[in-house]
Structures are given as structure tokens and as C-alpha cells.
Amino acid sequence: VTPVSSALSHLECSKCGDVAQADVIQQLCACGAPLLARYDLQKAAATLTIAELARRPWSLWRYAELLPIRDLSRHTVSLGEIVTPIVPLPEIGRDYGIGDLRCKDDGLLPTGSFKARGAAVGVSRALELGVKAFAMPTNGNAGGAWAMYGRRAGIGAHVVVPRDAPAIHRYEMESAGAIVTLVDGVIADAAKVVVQLVNETGIYDASTLKEPYRIEGKKTMGFEIAEQYDWQMPDVILYPTGGGVGLIGIYKGLLELQAIGFPVDRLPRMVAVQAAGCAPIVRAFDAGLRESLFWKDSKTAAFGINVPKALGDFLVLDAVYATGGCAIAVEDEAIAEARRSVAAVEGMLLSPEGAATIAAAAALRENGWLRAGDRVLTINTGNGIKSAL
Ligand SMILES: Cc1ncc(COP(=O)(O)O)c(C=O)c1O
Ligand SMILES: [Zn+2]
């Protein structure tokens, strides 16, 4: 058996290009932008091969060379992260005039959302770097996942949550023993409280993109999609975009696979789907801008994508522009309608955020941006039952 180890080499600023050492705790670059993990791709390519992949278990840990954990035997924090299924939606596809419409169901991951990917990898790496406690703002799913994985690792969690977030999330975080602080307002208001906490106590800041490793977990979505499509990539991927880490992650993952010589035939057009009540990325895209502006008084029932200003907005827009994708906003009524019809027709209860990508597929087919022959993949980022009422 080939010994498997991380090919992590260093961290690199996503904006100014400065290089930082990977094996100590790092947060943002001095310039204020996120640091991204970079790998020795030659080293990774030596052991991460298609033949080797065929022998590995179906979990996100199968891509260990391109994950940041150095000592997997000591530092893996896992709740059983399966490779999530890609489910065909033939009836909905027929209704919409899309010949090949599918949905990757990340609702089946531990803690009922794709946030488990970021938490599994982010918490494992935090454990490896000696982190004892972390703080983060959350709309609920990320806090739930990080609280649970943190508990498993013996790392304390302090989560700051908008008061209006669904009660299930508070229950989940409190069950895991997290300190839960409720704030009036949206995640941007929660983020201010976290900044204060971090400044006062020096606690590890696990906010979206303020530590480099959550995105490394999320990029495994891209690895899995490529493998599951047998390297013949879908034409379009629709992603429900809040902080945007999933979209950036999928893009980063696909570029890394190409860089180590995997036969990923092309990059799908990446589509950032937002709610009409909180669509800063869409507004920026429509204006041809490279960054977004703060969206005032944001509001949507798709709570996970209520993010008025994402730290990584420029990275989302880069990925969208570079792949010939687009950004589109959908009304809450269209989200609710898509959610109802996918359940009624396909037997699959999506999260509101996942349903937003279905509503977006309908709108983009109707306006002609999607062509009949396009192979379209939507992502269901959360388990529908978690937002049942
Ligand atoms: C169910 C769900 N979907 C999507 C998102 C948005 O995630 P991202 O930061 O990748 O844009 C979230 C974030 O809270 C979420 O909970
Ligand atoms: Zn920088």
C-alpha cells in the first residue's frame, strides 16, 4: 500500500500573492484577504492517481494528498463523510426542457449539510495545529457542523447566530455544548461580535475564509463531481451562494485535479444562485464588477444564503467570469415552488438553498441562457428535513 500524505506546501494570499507558512496558525493575510492552501502538485500526482483512487474508501478523505492534514492517523475528526450521491431529476428536467438535470445531495452528510465537509477538514487541521477553541458567525448549518466536529475533537466552540435563524440550528449547536450568542440582525452583525471576541480573547477565528482550511473541505465537492461524472464534466453547475466558499471550492478543486494531470475535460460554467432578497454577487455580476457591495436589509427564507457581503466575493466572481458562468437571483416564492415540485415529482425534499438552484435552472432555461442540450448539475447543500417547517 502506498503511504498517503498531504502534499500541502504553503499558504498563498488570494489577493496580493504573499506566501505564508502553513504549519502554524494563520488567519487572514496582512492585506486583509483570505489565504489559500497550495500543494506540491508533483508530489500529490505521484500517489494520487486514478488507479489508486479506485482502491480507496468512498469518503472525502480519499483525496488526502490534496487535503491539508499532515498526520491523518492522529488528527482525522470524522463523523462518516460519504461521497454524496448525484441524483437524476428526469421529470423536472422534462418540465423545464433540460435533457440532463441532476442534483448532488449534500444533505446526506453528517449534521445534514455540506458544511460537514468544511468542518471535517477545518476542525481536523485546527486540532493538528493545536487550536483549543474557536469562534465563528453562522446562519446555522456551519455552526452546527463546527460545534459537532469541534466537540468530537475536544475543541470549544463559540458560535454567534442571528436571532431569527431556525431553532433547529440553535438546538444542534447547544446539544454539542457550544456557547451560543444570539444577535439581532443578519450574519454581518454576528460577524462584528466575533471580530470583537477575537480581538479581546485571541480565540481562533473560524469565520468563513478567515482560516484557510474550511474551503479545503468544501473543494472535495469538486473532486467528487469530477470523479462521479467520469471526468466528462457537466456543462453547468448551479450553486446556492452565500459566503460562496462552496463555489470557490469546487472551482479550486477542479483546477487542482487538472494540475495533477487528471482528465477533467473542461470547467463547467459556474453559476452563483442567490435569493432576490440578498443578491450582492448578482448585482456585481450584472454590473460587470469584480467585487460586491454590502446588501442592506437582506431578507430571505433561504437562510443559508443570507450573506450581505462575502469576504470572498471577488473569488466567486473570478470563478464565474473565468468559466463563462453567470449569477442569478430567484424570488422566495420561486424557491418554495421549486421545493414543492421536486418533492412532489421526484420524491426528494431539498433545503430551501438547494431548491433555489432548481428555481434558477428553470429561470435560466426560460431566458435561454441554458440550452436544451446542457448537462446541468444543481447542488442540494442541506437536508430538506432540517428546514421542514
Ligand atoms: C444550506 C446552505 N446552503 C448554502 C450555504 C451557502 O454557503 P457558501 O458559503 O458556500 O456560499 C449555506 C451557508 O450557511 C447553507 O447553510
Ligand atoms: Zn495579501
Side-chain angles (χ1 to χ4, degrees):
V1 183
T2 330
V4 173
S5 67
S6 172
L8 179 66
S9 60
H10 62 280
L11 303 174
E12 183 187 28
C13 177
S14 54
K15 200 165 250 174
C16 75
D18 267 10
V19 166
Q21 201 201 318
D23 289 306
V24 292
I25 291 175
Q26 301 275 10
Q27 308 259 222
L28 291 173
C29 175
C31 82
L35 293 171
L36 297 177
R38 298 297 181 208
Y39 297 80
D40 177 340
L41 296 168
Q42 228 170 337
K43 181 177 172 211
T47 53
L48 186 59
T49 61
I50 291 177
E52 174 59 28
L53 270 181
R55 285 193 287 270
R56 295 188 186 174
W58 281 94
S59 86
L60 62 75
W61 304 102
R62 64 201 266 101
Y63 311 105
E65 287 88 344
L66 294 175
L67 294 177
I69 296 101
R70 303 258 183 229
D71 187 344
L72 285 165
S73 63
R74 287 175 60 208
H75 301 134
T76 303
V77 186
S78 174
L79 288 163
E81 301 74 28
I82 59 164
V83 169
T84 59
I86 292 180
V87 183
L89 301 176
E91 297 293 329
I92 295 286
R94 234 185 316 277
D95 281 358
Y96 293 176
I98 299 170
D100 184 341
L101 179 66
R102 308 185 205 182
C103 178
K104 184 165 176 67
D105 193 3
D106 262 23
L108 298 176
L109 284 166
T111 73
S113 86
F114 82 116
K115 299 285 184 182
R117 297 180 185 275
V121 171
V123 170
S124 295
R125 184 63 176 154
L127 177 68
E128 183 156 76
L129 293 173
V131 170
K132 300 286 180 267
F134 63 82
M136 62 163 35
T138 174
N139 276 333
N141 279 321
W146 279 71
M148 289 292 181
Y149 281 86
R151 169 51 40 150
R152 221 169 151 77
I155 298 178
H158 190 151
V159 286
V160 185
V161 197
R163 197 177 301 280
D164 295 340
I168 182 74
H169 297 304
R170 200 198 304 181
Y171 174 75
E172 185 180 26
M173 294 182 279
E174 283 171 352
S175 309
I179 301 170
V180 180
T181 301
L182 299 177
V183 298
D184 293 318
V186 296
I187 194 166
D189 301 290
K192 287 182 200 150
V193 174
V194 170
V195 168
Q196 206 176 336
L197 255 171
V198 168
N199 288 342
E200 282 167 9
T201 67
I203 193 170
Y204 185 64
D205 191 343
S207 307
T208 302
L209 289 171
K210 289 193 182 174
E211 57 75 47
Y213 301 114
R214 188 202 295 211
I215 184 174
E216 295 305 290
K218 293 192 179 180
K219 81 181 179 189
T220 60
M221 261 187 289
F223 294 164
E224 291 177 16
I225 292 166
E227 223 187 328
Q228 288 172 299
Y229 272 86
D230 212 9
W231 323 112
Q232 318 290 301
M233 298 305 289
D235 296 287
V236 176
I237 296 178
L238 296 128
Y239 184 81
T241 305
V245 182
L247 189 150
I248 304 165
I250 292 171
Y251 181 61
K252 183 176 193 281
L254 294 176
L255 290 177
E256 287 175 358
L257 288 185
Q258 286 188 328
I260 65 165
F262 274 42
V264 174
D265 66 343
R266 72 211 125 104
L267 296 172
R269 283 132 67 199
M270 299 297 302
V271 177
V273 177
Q274 299 203 294
C278 182
I281 304 277
V282 178
R283 190 174 275 172
F285 175 81
D286 287 342
L289 300 176
R290 306 215 73 95
E291 287 183 24
S292 67
L293 294 170
F294 188 92
W295 186 282
K296 286 197 205 73
D297 303 320
S298 62
K299 196 170 164 36
T300 168
F303 218 79
I305 53 176
N306 188 343
V307 179
K309 165 79 181 160
L311 185 61
D313 56 357
F314 68 102
L315 296 170
V316 175
L317 288 157
D318 280 354
V320 166
Y321 292 130
T323 59
C326 70
I328 181 171
V330 288
E331 299 286 346
D332 276 13
E333 298 77 63
I335 294 174
E337 174 53 31
R339 196 171 181 223
R340 262 192 305 276
S341 38
V342 175
V345 175
E346 304 281 7
M348 193 177 180
L349 185 63
L350 304 176
S351 61
E353 296 80 6
T357 66
I358 299 290
L364 289 173
R365 181 67 192 103
E366 191 154 312
N367 74 15
W369 192 89
L370 282 178
R371 295 176 287 265
D374 279 339
R375 295 155 72 230
V376 178
L377 178 65
T378 60
I379 313 282
N380 182 38
T381 41
N383 195 308
I385 296 170
K386 225 176 159 182
S387 321
L389 295 169

